[in-house]
Amino acid sequence: MSEAPTIDYDGLIPNNVGLNQDARLRKALETWHPGYIDWWNGAGPAVFQNSPVYLRTAVGVDPEGWAKFGFVRMPEYRWGILLAPAVEGRRIGFGVHQGEAAWQEVPGEYRSSLRRLLVIQGDTEPASVEQQRQLGATAPSLYDLRNLFQVNVEEGRHLWAMVYLLQKYFGRDGREEADDLLRRRSGDADQPRMLGAFNEATPDWLSFFLFTFFTDRDGKMQLAALAQSGFDPLSRTCRFMLTEEAHHMFVGDSGIQRVVQRTCAAMRAAGIEDPEDVARVRALGVIDLPTLQRKMNLHFALTLDLFGSEISTNAANAYSAGLKGRYREDKIEDDHLLRDATYPVLRWRDGVAMREDAPALSALNMRLRDDYVAECEGGIARWNRVIAAAGYGTRLLLPHVGFNRKIGEFAAANLAPDGTVLTAAEWAARRDEFLPSAEDGAYVASLMRPARAAGEYAGWIAPPRVGIDGKPGDYEYVRIEA
Ligand SMILES: [Fe+2]
Ligand SMILES: [Fe+2]
């Protein structure tokens, strides 16, 4: 690795991309900036915008010391443009340009596909901030409130990351796309965000933790695939975004773990032997495991749809062109061309789910999704260890990948979470067994009362084992009254 350019932290936009030497780009970004702040103020966190929050800000790209912590009011957060260090002599690792020097400019023939990839990725970043906009009002602790806001400001920075690429490399088209990224709104009837899961509501903190566990992890997979790109500025951008993304998934993973821990402890203390005894569990003011399971079913299925169709020519073209690789492409040992290779794809054939070999090139979405599911399994195993340690036999399970899908092979199937094939009528009749019901939603909503004293936690979630940045349990992460 070569030296990363030092970060210019003095101007309006902190960056390590030499903005000072690029007057045209600086002007474009400075023109975009007020619209971004308007968006943040109008569509970002609905409360506590003026409260100092203990946030990390990226001040470098050295993996060992890239962030500094301090109190900042969110609208004054230093959103910056940061690329991971260039890799000296980096070459394209896959596709028909394999072995050529990585591109520092956009190849003309791939201009529109690349722009499309950036816009789709970019659109998800502000969308999640919009989806999480109301959650600050009901945070279960100042620790969680701070984590929410950390995720939000970093998703904002991820939008900056994509906008930088659009404005630097795509001229007027890029500027228009950057403006449109501020125009669309999650769930809006006329100008929705581009992908389904990013137009869904995130009504409560249980949804937030599941979103960061499942949906931010899709983000990680996509970024990891784009980090392999032959277009070097995209690769470097994504590599740095992945550093931040790890915390988002930690928030979800540990959040659910704390929910499970609290529920199990409360059931034990009350002498409840059967976690399915929902009425008794709910009387304790904690989240029953069947409700958690239904919420998991919902978020998993919504997120799987983000991977697109199992068989996809777009994915094949992006790969062959060297624009988007496989997960950990550089660790895979094969020809990185996939001309003759096959990959087993789960298909829905005459009412039966079956694996069928398909050309590996067209099956890249399927492969990325498989990598994703394997990672999800790891998190769920950790949650199940908490349940087992409390002496309960219940286990949380990922639903079948064909359950409740809207996109791809299983869009027309009616599968139960365990994979049982149902008729449409059977499925509809049993819907509330599979997915959160209105009543589940109302129960979870009833628990969403804020805990705002330093060190205080809502009764449905256990405190974290360790604080952020080594802070003690009663640290005042958000100075609400200020
Ligand atoms: Fe992101
Ligand atoms: Fe994220």
Side-chain angles (χ1 to χ4, degrees):
M1 299 226 171
S2 67
E3 262 313 279
T6 46
I7 295 202
D8 169 5
Y9 214 69
D10 299 329
L12 179 64
I13 304 163
N15 71 91
N16 69 350
V17 297
L19 214 49
N20 263 339
Q21 284 90 62
D22 189 340
R24 189 195 60 83
L25 175 63
R26 200 179 71 203
K27 180 155 179 292
L29 285 166
E30 288 180 357
T31 307
W32 186 79
H33 188 250
Y36 172 81
I37 295 295
D38 283 351
W39 167 79
W40 178 267
N41 287 326
V47 288
F48 304 133
Q49 289 269 18
N50 287 314
S51 301
V53 184
Y54 192 68
L55 294 173
R56 71 176 183 192
T57 303
V59 292
V61 290
D62 176 350
E64 296 312 312
W66 62 274
K68 77 159 200 259
F69 285 85
F71 281 95
V72 51
R73 290 179 173 82
M74 288 183 282
E76 293 156 19
Y77 189 78
R78 303 299 307 277
W79 285 285
I81 298 165
L82 299 165
L83 269 54
V87 174
E88 202 90 57
R90 179 168 179 262
R91 302 203 163 263
I92 299 170
F94 58 95
V96 298
H97 301 286
Q98 189 178 172
E100 295 173 21
W103 304 305
Q104 300 305 325
E105 294 295 331
V106 177
E109 56 186 315
Y110 302 137
R111 195 179 161 81
S112 67
S113 341
L114 205 42
R115 191 183 74 196
R116 177 100 189 137
L117 286 173
L118 298 182
V119 168
I120 291 176
Q121 180 61 41
D123 194 65
T124 66
E125 313 289 357
S128 65
V129 177
E130 293 159 7
Q131 289 170 292
Q132 294 158 16
R133 167 174 166 67
Q134 302 295 346
L135 294 176
T138 56
S141 70
L142 294 182
Y143 166 88
D144 291 291
L145 184 59
R146 176 257 167 232
N147 284 350
L148 167 73
F149 290 156
Q150 183 73 67
V151 170
N152 291 163
V153 293
E154 286 176 353
E155 300 305 1
R157 207 202 64 74
H158 291 177
L159 172 60
W160 274 92
M162 291 299 128
V163 163
Y164 157 73
L165 294 173
L166 286 166
Q167 293 196 335
K168 175 156 172 90
Y169 296 98
F170 294 85
R172 175 198 289 270
D173 296 354
R175 289 194 292 279
E176 281 171 9
E177 296 283 16
D179 291 343
D180 285 345
L181 285 167
L182 293 176
R183 212 165 280 140
R184 289 185 288 273
R185 286 289 180 280
S186 176
D188 189 273
D190 302 320
Q191 298 188 89
R193 291 295 173 184
M194 298 170 84
L195 301 174
F198 291 91
N199 288 302
E200 296 287 326
T202 308
D204 54 60
W205 278 77
L206 187 57
S207 306
F208 171 65
F209 291 135
L210 289 166
F211 185 97
T212 43
F213 179 83
F214 285 114
T215 311
D216 281 72
R217 191 178 308 277
D218 159 69
K220 170 198 157 171
M221 302 306 289
Q222 303 299 338
L223 291 175
L226 292 171
Q228 301 285 341
S229 183
F231 179 46
D232 203 43
L234 174 60
S235 167
R236 293 174 59 193
T237 297
C238 291
R239 273 191 280 134
F240 187 68
M241 290 165 78
L242 283 165
T243 316
E244 296 164 309
E245 207 61 61
H247 178 65
H248 308 181
M249 291 179 296
F250 161 81
V251 167
D253 193 346
S254 61
I256 298 296
Q257 192 162 325
R258 290 161 54 211
V259 168
V260 172
Q261 195 186 326
R262 177 72 195 111
T263 297
C264 289
M267 290 194 300
R268 268 286 155 249
I272 295 175
E273 288 303 323
D274 178 11
E276 307 275 323
D277 192 348
V278 170
R280 279 187 74 199
V281 176
R282 287 189 177 180
L284 304 172
V286 294
I287 293 167
D288 52 284
L289 299 179
T291 296
L292 172 57
Q293 178 67 64
R294 286 190 287 274
K295 288 274 236 182
M296 278 171 58
N297 294 348
L298 174 70
H299 284 270
F300 184 64
L302 281 169
T303 305
L304 291 187
D305 278 343
L306 294 173
F307 288 84
S309 290
E310 288 84 345
I311 301 288
S312 161
T313 341
N314 274 342
N317 291 339
Y319 183 87
S320 292
L323 304 180
K324 182 178 176 184
R326 288 170 292 179
Y327 185 54
R328 297 186 175 151
E329 181 77 40
D330 49 357
K331 307 277 188 294
I332 300 173
E333 289 198 19
D334 61 14
D335 68 358
H336 305 280
L337 273 173
L338 309 180
R339 275 194 188 120
D340 308 309
T342 61
Y343 188 84
V345 172
L346 193 65
R347 311 206 68 158
W348 182 241
R349 291 271 196 235
D350 305 319
V352 182
M354 55 173 73
R355 287 260 171 193
E356 256 178 33
D357 278 345
L361 257 187
S362 350
L364 287 163
N365 287 345
M366 177 76 206
R367 178 173 178 134
L368 194 60
R369 198 186 81 191
D370 281 343
D371 291 331
Y372 167 80
V373 172
E375 272 217 15
C376 290
E377 297 280 10
I380 285 150
R382 284 191 292 280
W383 304 340
N384 280 331
R385 281 200 283 278
V386 176
I387 302 175
Y392 291 104
T394 306
R395 295 294 175 263
L396 298 164
L397 292 169
L398 282 183
H400 190 282
V401 292
F403 167 72
N404 198 35
R405 299 293 308 283
K406 303 287 180 275
I407 289 174
E409 286 291 314
F410 290 88
N414 293 292
L415 297 189
D418 68 1
T420 308
V421 180
L422 304 175
T423 65
E426 286 166 340
W427 198 97
R430 295 179 60 188
R431 185 224 168 264
D432 286 1
E433 274 175 54
F434 305 153
L435 292 167
S437 64
E439 196 205 331
D440 294 336
Y443 174 66
V444 175
S446 77
L447 298 179
M448 298 296 127
R449 280 182 248 110
R452 290 182 183 163
E456 184 195 356
Y457 285 82
W460 55 271
I461 189 164
R465 244 176 321 203
V466 288
I468 293 295
D469 191 32
K471 294 298 176 202
D474 59 352
Y475 191 68
E476 191 180 3
Y477 290 100
V478 184
R479 294 177 185 154
I480 282 178
E481 77 304 327

